[in-house]
Amino acid sequence: MSLTLLLFMGLIGVFFLTFLKTPLINLFGADHILIFNLKNAGWFQIYWLAGMFLFIMNGILFFSTALLIYVLSYFLIPYVYLFVMVLAVIGSIFLWIIINKAWQGTRSNCLKMAAVGSSFYLILSLILIYMLVTLEPSYPGDDTLMRAIGIVMGIVVTTVAFISCFIFTGFSNKKEMNEARF
Protein backbone atom coordinates (compact mmCIF):
# COMPACT_ATOMS: atom_id res chain seq x y z
CA MET A 1 0.00 0.00 0.00
CA SER A 2 1.46 3.35 -0.98
CA LEU A 3 2.06 6.21 1.41
CA THR A 4 -0.18 8.48 -0.64
CA LEU A 5 -3.06 6.02 -0.31
CA LEU A 6 -2.51 5.81 3.45
CA LEU A 7 -2.48 9.61 3.69
CA PHE A 8 -5.67 9.83 1.63
CA MET A 9 -7.40 7.17 3.75
CA GLY A 10 -6.34 8.99 6.92
CA LEU A 11 -7.69 12.30 5.61
CA ILE A 12 -11.01 10.69 4.70
CA GLY A 13 -11.18 9.10 8.17
CA VAL A 14 -10.50 12.40 9.95
CA PHE A 15 -13.07 14.26 7.84
CA PHE A 16 -15.56 11.47 8.54
CA LEU A 17 -14.92 11.81 12.29
CA THR A 18 -15.21 15.59 12.05
CA PHE A 19 -18.61 15.41 10.41
CA LEU A 20 -19.78 12.87 12.99
CA LYS A 21 -18.39 14.78 15.95
CA THR A 22 -21.72 15.08 17.77
CA PRO A 23 -22.08 11.35 18.54
CA LEU A 24 -18.41 11.23 19.56
CA ILE A 25 -18.79 14.18 21.91
CA ASN A 26 -21.95 12.69 23.41
CA LEU A 27 -20.03 9.52 24.35
CA PHE A 28 -18.40 11.46 27.19
CA GLY A 29 -20.61 12.41 30.09
CA ALA A 30 -20.19 15.47 32.26
CA ASP A 31 -19.04 13.20 35.09
CA HIS A 32 -15.75 12.31 33.39
CA ILE A 33 -12.88 13.19 35.75
CA LEU A 34 -10.97 15.35 33.25
CA ILE A 35 -14.08 17.28 32.23
CA PHE A 36 -15.01 17.79 35.87
CA ASN A 37 -11.52 19.07 36.77
CA LEU A 38 -11.38 21.49 33.84
CA LYS A 39 -14.91 22.79 34.46
CA ASN A 40 -14.03 23.58 38.05
CA ALA A 41 -10.73 25.27 37.21
CA GLY A 42 -11.26 29.02 37.25
CA TRP A 43 -8.48 29.71 34.76
CA PHE A 44 -10.05 27.40 32.16
CA GLN A 45 -13.08 29.65 31.71
CA ILE A 46 -10.87 32.50 30.45
CA TYR A 47 -10.64 31.92 26.70
CA TRP A 48 -7.02 32.90 26.15
CA LEU A 49 -5.78 30.77 29.07
CA ALA A 50 -7.85 27.82 27.86
CA GLY A 51 -6.53 28.45 24.34
CA MET A 52 -2.95 28.49 25.58
CA PHE A 53 -3.62 25.24 27.46
CA LEU A 54 -4.92 23.70 24.23
CA PHE A 55 -1.93 25.12 22.30
CA ILE A 56 0.53 23.59 24.79
CA MET A 57 -1.30 20.24 24.87
CA ASN A 58 -1.32 20.10 21.06
CA GLY A 59 2.42 20.80 21.12
CA ILE A 60 3.07 18.11 23.71
CA LEU A 61 1.06 15.54 21.77
CA PHE A 62 2.72 16.46 18.47
CA PHE A 63 6.31 16.48 19.72
CA SER A 64 5.92 13.34 21.83
CA THR A 65 4.51 11.53 18.80
CA ALA A 66 7.37 12.81 16.62
CA LEU A 67 9.92 11.71 19.24
CA LEU A 68 8.34 8.27 19.52
CA ILE A 69 8.34 7.84 15.73
CA TYR A 70 11.98 8.98 15.62
CA VAL A 71 12.97 6.45 18.29
CA LEU A 72 10.99 3.67 16.60
CA SER A 73 12.75 4.38 13.30
CA TYR A 74 15.89 2.80 14.80
CA PHE A 75 14.11 -0.53 15.23
CA LEU A 76 13.32 -2.77 12.31
CA ILE A 77 9.66 -3.23 13.14
CA PRO A 78 7.63 -2.52 10.00
CA TYR A 79 4.49 -0.37 10.09
CA VAL A 80 4.63 0.28 13.84
CA TYR A 81 4.80 4.03 13.14
CA LEU A 82 1.36 3.80 11.53
CA PHE A 83 -0.10 2.53 14.80
CA VAL A 84 1.64 5.37 16.65
CA MET A 85 0.10 7.89 14.26
CA VAL A 86 -3.37 6.38 14.65
CA LEU A 87 -3.02 6.48 18.44
CA ALA A 88 -1.86 10.11 18.23
CA VAL A 89 -4.95 11.05 16.20
CA ILE A 90 -7.21 9.25 18.68
CA GLY A 91 -5.45 10.98 21.59
CA SER A 92 -5.80 14.39 19.95
CA ILE A 93 -9.49 13.89 19.26
CA PHE A 94 -9.97 12.70 22.86
CA LEU A 95 -8.26 15.88 24.13
CA TRP A 96 -10.36 18.10 21.87
CA ILE A 97 -13.59 16.43 23.02
CA ILE A 98 -12.62 16.88 26.68
CA ILE A 99 -11.92 20.58 26.11
CA ASN A 100 -15.17 21.01 24.17
CA LYS A 101 -17.21 19.39 26.94
CA ALA A 102 -15.46 21.35 29.70
CA TRP A 103 -15.89 24.78 28.11
CA GLN A 104 -18.68 26.83 29.69
CA GLY A 105 -18.22 30.27 28.15
CA THR A 106 -19.95 32.12 25.35
CA ARG A 107 -19.90 30.94 21.76
CA SER A 108 -17.65 33.81 20.63
CA ASN A 109 -15.15 33.11 23.41
CA CYS A 110 -15.27 29.42 22.50
CA LEU A 111 -14.28 30.31 18.94
CA LYS A 112 -11.48 32.54 20.26
CA MET A 113 -10.23 29.73 22.50
CA ALA A 114 -10.30 27.30 19.57
CA ALA A 115 -8.44 29.77 17.35
CA VAL A 116 -5.69 30.27 19.94
CA GLY A 117 -5.36 26.55 20.67
CA SER A 118 -5.44 25.26 17.12
CA SER A 119 -3.02 27.93 15.92
CA PHE A 120 -0.21 25.53 16.91
CA TYR A 121 -0.96 23.54 13.76
CA LEU A 122 -1.38 26.69 11.67
CA ILE A 123 2.07 27.92 12.77
CA LEU A 124 3.50 24.48 11.99
CA SER A 125 1.88 24.58 8.53
CA LEU A 126 3.38 28.01 7.86
CA ILE A 127 6.82 26.79 8.92
CA LEU A 128 6.50 23.81 6.57
CA ILE A 129 5.36 26.08 3.72
CA TYR A 130 8.43 28.25 4.34
CA MET A 131 10.63 25.14 4.31
CA LEU A 132 9.09 24.06 0.99
CA VAL A 133 9.56 27.47 -0.62
CA THR A 134 13.19 27.74 0.51
CA LEU A 135 14.08 24.10 -0.20
CA GLU A 136 17.56 23.85 -1.71
CA PRO A 137 19.74 20.84 -2.51
CA SER A 138 22.31 19.86 0.12
CA TYR A 139 24.99 19.50 -2.53
CA PRO A 140 25.19 20.12 -6.30
CA GLY A 141 23.11 17.57 -8.16
CA ASP A 142 21.04 16.59 -5.09
CA ASP A 143 17.44 15.68 -5.89
CA THR A 144 15.05 17.36 -3.48
CA LEU A 145 11.88 15.59 -4.69
CA MET A 146 11.57 13.19 -1.75
CA ARG A 147 12.12 15.99 0.78
CA ALA A 148 9.51 18.10 -1.03
CA ILE A 149 7.00 15.23 -0.99
CA GLY A 150 7.55 14.76 2.75
CA ILE A 151 7.11 18.47 3.41
CA VAL A 152 3.92 18.60 1.31
CA MET A 153 2.51 15.64 3.26
CA GLY A 154 3.41 17.44 6.48
CA ILE A 155 1.59 20.54 5.25
CA VAL A 156 -1.51 18.48 4.47
CA VAL A 157 -1.45 16.73 7.85
CA THR A 158 -0.96 19.91 9.89
CA THR A 159 -3.62 21.78 7.91
CA VAL A 160 -6.13 18.99 8.50
CA ALA A 161 -5.17 18.94 12.19
CA PHE A 162 -5.73 22.73 12.39
CA ILE A 163 -9.17 22.49 10.81
CA SER A 164 -10.19 19.47 12.89
CA CYS A 165 -8.98 20.99 16.15
CA PHE A 166 -10.83 24.22 15.40
CA ILE A 167 -14.06 22.39 14.55
CA PHE A 168 -13.92 20.02 17.53
CA THR A 169 -13.10 22.68 20.11
CA GLY A 170 -14.75 25.76 18.61
CA PHE A 171 -18.22 24.56 17.78
CA SER A 172 -20.08 23.28 20.79
CA ASN A 173 -23.27 21.22 20.81
CA LYS A 174 -24.64 22.97 23.85
CA LYS A 175 -27.97 24.72 23.34
CA GLU A 176 -27.43 27.37 25.97
CA MET A 177 -24.04 28.62 27.07
CA ASN A 178 -23.24 30.53 30.24
CA GLU A 179 -21.54 33.87 30.29
CA ALA A 180 -17.77 33.67 30.49
CA ARG A 181 -15.87 35.01 33.49
CA PHE A 182 -13.11 37.50 32.82
Side-chain angles (χ1 to χ4, degrees):
M1 193 176 325
S2 72
L3 190 59
T4 307
L5 181 62
L6 284 173
L7 179 68
F8 183 70
M9 286 173 33
L11 291 175
I12 295 296
V14 169
F15 283 129
F16 182 70
L17 287 174
T18 303
F19 288 122
L20 295 175
K21 77 177 184 97
T22 304
L24 280 175
I25 290 174
N26 291 334
L27 288 175
F28 293 92
D31 58 345
H32 193 276
I33 186 84
L34 295 174
I35 295 172
F36 181 76
N37 287 340
L38 283 177
K39 271 187 179 181
N40 292 331
W43 61 268
F44 187 73
Q45 303 312 319
I46 301 170
Y47 70 88
W48 60 272
L49 286 176
M52 287 305 297
F53 174 74
L54 179 59
F55 184 93
I56 291 168
M57 292 305 295
N58 281 336
I60 290 171
L61 283 171
F62 179 82
F63 288 117
S64 63
T65 302
L67 179 67
L68 187 59
I69 289 173
Y70 178 74
V71 168
L72 289 175
S73 69
Y74 286 106
F75 300 106
L76 298 175
I77 305 171
Y79 303 113
V80 73
Y81 61 91
L82 294 175
F83 295 115
V84 172
M85 287 186 227
V86 168
L87 290 176
V89 169
I90 291 170
S92 294
I93 291 174
F94 175 75
L95 170 73
W96 301 337
I97 289 172
I98 295 293
I99 288 177
N100 184 332
K101 293 285 278 190
W103 180 256
Q104 296 177 341
T106 62
R107 185 172 302 273
S108 64
N109 284 346
C110 185
L111 290 173
K112 292 175 191 175
M113 180 264 304
V116 170
S118 61
S119 66
F120 171 79
Y121 294 112
L122 180 65
I123 292 169
L124 204 55
S125 294
L126 293 174
I127 290 170
L128 289 171
I129 289 170
Y130 177 77
M131 287 174 60
L132 182 65
V133 169
T134 60
L135 184 64
E136 292 182 1
S138 299
Y139 55 88
D142 183 24
D143 187 15
T144 59
L145 177 68
M146 293 309 290
R147 256 188 291 165
I149 289 172
I151 291 173
V152 167
M153 286 187 176
I155 292 169
V156 170
V157 167
T158 54
T159 303
V160 168
F162 167 73
I163 293 168
S164 299
C165 181
F166 187 78
I167 289 172
F168 266 95
T169 58
F171 298 104
S172 178
N173 306 4
K174 300 171 189 162
K175 301 290 183 214
E176 184 177 319
M177 302 180 87
N178 302 329
E179 285 296 315
R181 291 179 272 166
F182 292 99

